[in-house]
Amino acid sequence: MRKVLKLFKKYLGKNKLMSVCTQGEKEPWCAIVFFAFDDNFNFIFASKKDTIHAKNIIKNKNVSLSIYQDWGRPWKLKGAQIKGVAKVLREESKEYSKFYNIFKKRYKWIEKFPDHKIFIVKPKEIWWTNHVLFKTIERQRIL
């Protein structure tokens, strides 16, 4: 499993966008965001607090994420589906500078957006589709 997790980290490093899906009072909502991650597969993204997905997270912390690459050829699909718990980090919290710096290392431009808050998603489940590695079209649970 360690080899699979190492390959998954490499896969994440080659991607920059993910879909964050949240639940509103009446309807679900998905948004595309830039993401970073740490060694524990905590997913970090920045967003304004007045976006639909940010407002939804404040009311309901359960989210799903997806990261997909279609290589343009059948049987080469790679993608991840994640269930997790999200929260907006307060700037005065101990976690904030750690996760902000992880995000900033990947996206220097965050310094130009002081109105963006840092969000973290702690995964409960990670499922990975990798037709090449797993030799199957079925996704595999890796966490």
Side-chain angles (χ1 to χ4, degrees), residues 48-107:
K48 291 172 87 172
K49 215 171 175 183
D50 64 351
T51 61
I52 293 171
H53 56 280
K55 289 177 183 178
N56 286 348
I57 288 169
I58 291 166
K59 293 179 184 175
N60 182 347
K61 62 187 178 181
N62 296 303
V63 300
S64 60
L65 313 172
S66 63
I67 303 161
Y68 276 95
Q69 288 177 304
D70 180 350
W71 296 102
R73 296 176 285 169
W75 305 106
K76 301 292 182 188
L77 181 70
K78 295 178 183 179
Q81 297 166 307
I82 299 115
K83 285 184 189 179
V85 177
K87 69 177 179 177
V88 62
L89 297 178
R90 294 188 332 262
E91 289 184 37
E92 61 274 3
S93 72
K94 292 178 184 178
E95 297 176 299
Y96 182 85
S97 62
K98 172 188 168 185
F99 290 113
Y100 177 85
N101 287 329
I102 291 170
F103 191 85
K104 183 176 138 183
K105 184 176 180 182
R106 197 161 197 208
Y107 308 104

Side-chain angles (χ1 to χ4, degrees), residues 92-140:
E92 61 274 3
S93 72
K94 292 178 184 178
E95 297 176 299
Y96 182 85
S97 62
K98 172 188 168 185
F99 290 113
Y100 177 85
N101 287 329
I102 291 170
F103 191 85
K104 183 176 138 183
K105 184 176 180 182
R106 197 161 197 208
Y107 308 104
K108 303 264 187 252
W109 51 256
I110 190 60
E111 293 176 333
K112 296 178 183 178
F113 295 91
D115 60 340
H116 281 56
K117 303 299 179 188
I118 299 296
F119 290 77
I120 181 173
V121 177
K122 294 186 179 280
K124 290 194 229 176
E125 295 179 21
I126 297 177
W127 294 81
W128 193 20
T129 301
N130 187 322
H131 291 169
V132 176
L133 179 65
F134 299 133
K135 311 276 190 261
T136 177
I137 62 171
E138 302 298 323
R139 65 188 181 144
Q140 306 291 314

